[in-house]
Amino acid sequence: MMKHILNAVLLLIVLSVATSFSSCKEKRGELKKIWYNGSYNRDFKDLNDLHLAEAQKLGVQPVSSREEAEKASRKMEEIKSNKYYEVEELKHSIPYLIPQAASLLKDIGKNFQDSLSNLNASIYKIKVTSVTRTVDDVKKLKKRNVNSSVNSAHQYGTTFDVSWVRYTKVDEKDTLNIDNDRLKMVLASVLRDLHREKRCYIKHERKQGCFHITVRETD
């Protein structure tokens, strides 16, 4: 009799813990207001001269072709899609960054997701649209876009572009959707904090739909 009673008590405890864990896991809380109290163009206006000077100081030497890039990549880290960001198909760049830039990119993706979590929002990944370019890549882009610069900071492994128009939702079963305008506000808040910490230079690219980011030398 006593054994049956103990088994029943244990079963109740297990069910209680399981129910409590389940309710905690499912409870997210009400979505907090998402807003950016600034101006994208005013807050992120670092011009190419700043990006280029820092890139030349910190980065690798530009390489002329994809074949030569194989040697230069040994001094850099390969950038692959992970839980914090996705690397889109790269047609005019190669997925390598110097370690400082790779670390900055990871922090941007992580801080972005932490901010969404604090807002009780769905979790998304940022998308990387361009990374390190060879001299040949830059020349080809110049032919297609007269506004692109031959003196591109992208040639030094220090610079990458993050889209502000495209994101990837982590859990498709999550019924709460955050529109791209509000996701951009969250991303901009994260970038502004890192910019104020002097970890990077940033240019808000309106036509390209991205934030152009170059890592800075830290003290």
Side-chain angles (χ1 to χ4, degrees):
M1 183 70 176
M2 182 62 70
K3 183 177 181 181
H4 290 306
I5 293 174
L6 287 173
N7 287 338
V9 170
L10 287 172
L11 180 60
L12 287 171
I13 292 173
V14 170
L15 289 173
S16 175
V17 171
T19 302
S20 175
F21 177 78
S22 176
S23 62
C24 289
K25 184 178 179 181
E26 293 174 5
K27 186 176 180 181
R28 170 165 52 200
E30 184 179 354
L31 177 65
K32 297 178 183 178
K33 183 179 179 181
I34 299 174
W35 188 250
Y36 182 70
N37 60 338
S39 164
Y40 301 132
N41 293 329
R42 286 197 302 269
D43 294 340
F44 308 110
K45 59 181 180 180
D46 295 327
L47 298 179
N48 185 58
D49 288 350
L50 282 175
H51 289 265
L52 186 59
E54 198 72 11
Q56 290 173 334
K57 181 168 63 175
L58 292 180
V60 299
Q61 288 298 311
V63 293
S64 61
S65 64
R66 295 295 177 95
E67 290 73 24
E68 288 188 21
E70 190 69 29
K71 295 179 181 178
S73 67
R74 296 170 190 169
K75 301 177 182 178
M76 298 186 281
E77 293 183 12
E78 185 174 6
I79 304 304
K80 297 180 179 180
S81 296
N82 55 52
K83 64 181 180 179
Y84 297 124
Y85 58 81
E86 278 193 6
V87 180
E88 293 194 335
E89 181 183 0
L90 302 175
K91 296 181 180 179
H92 302 288
S93 63
I94 56 177
Y96 292 92
L97 289 171
I98 64 171
Q100 301 98 307
S103 178
L104 173 66
L105 174 57
K106 180 181 177 181
D107 287 346
I108 292 170
K110 184 178 184 303
N111 293 357
F112 178 66
Q113 292 187 355
D114 288 345
S115 296
L116 289 172
S117 180
N118 291 335
L119 291 163
N120 295 328
S122 305
I123 305 302
Y124 289 76
K125 295 181 184 180
I126 57 174
K127 289 199 172 190
V128 182
T129 58
S130 187
V131 195
T132 298
R133 299 172 186 162
T134 67
V135 175
D136 286 347
D137 289 328
V138 173
K139 288 179 180 177
K140 289 176 183 177
L141 280 174
K142 183 65 177 176
K143 290 179 181 178
R144 295 180 57 188
N145 181 4
V146 294
N147 293 321
S148 63
S149 175
V150 174
N151 296 319
S152 171
H154 277 283
Q155 297 176 96
Y156 300 87
T158 57
T159 305
F160 52 88
D161 295 341
V162 172
S163 175
W164 49 255
V165 294
R166 295 190 299 279
Y167 305 85
T168 298
K169 194 173 186 181
V170 172
D171 183 4
E172 289 297 337
K173 295 179 181 178
D174 189 339
T175 57
L176 176 62
N177 294 310
I178 311 299
D179 62 79
N180 290 348
D181 286 341
R182 287 189 292 175
L183 289 172
K184 181 182 181 182
M185 292 178 186
V186 178
L187 177 57
S189 297
V190 167
L191 292 177
R192 184 170 59 183
D193 288 344
L194 291 169
H195 189 265
R196 287 173 174 173
E197 293 170 11
K198 298 183 178 180
R199 288 194 59 189
C200 51
Y201 288 119
I202 306 174
K203 180 72 168 67
H204 176 241
E205 300 283 2
R206 286 176 290 180
K207 291 183 178 180
Q208 285 72 35
C210 69
F211 287 107
H212 174 68
I213 303 167
T214 296
V215 70
R216 292 181 64 179
E217 185 175 29
T218 53
D219 296 332

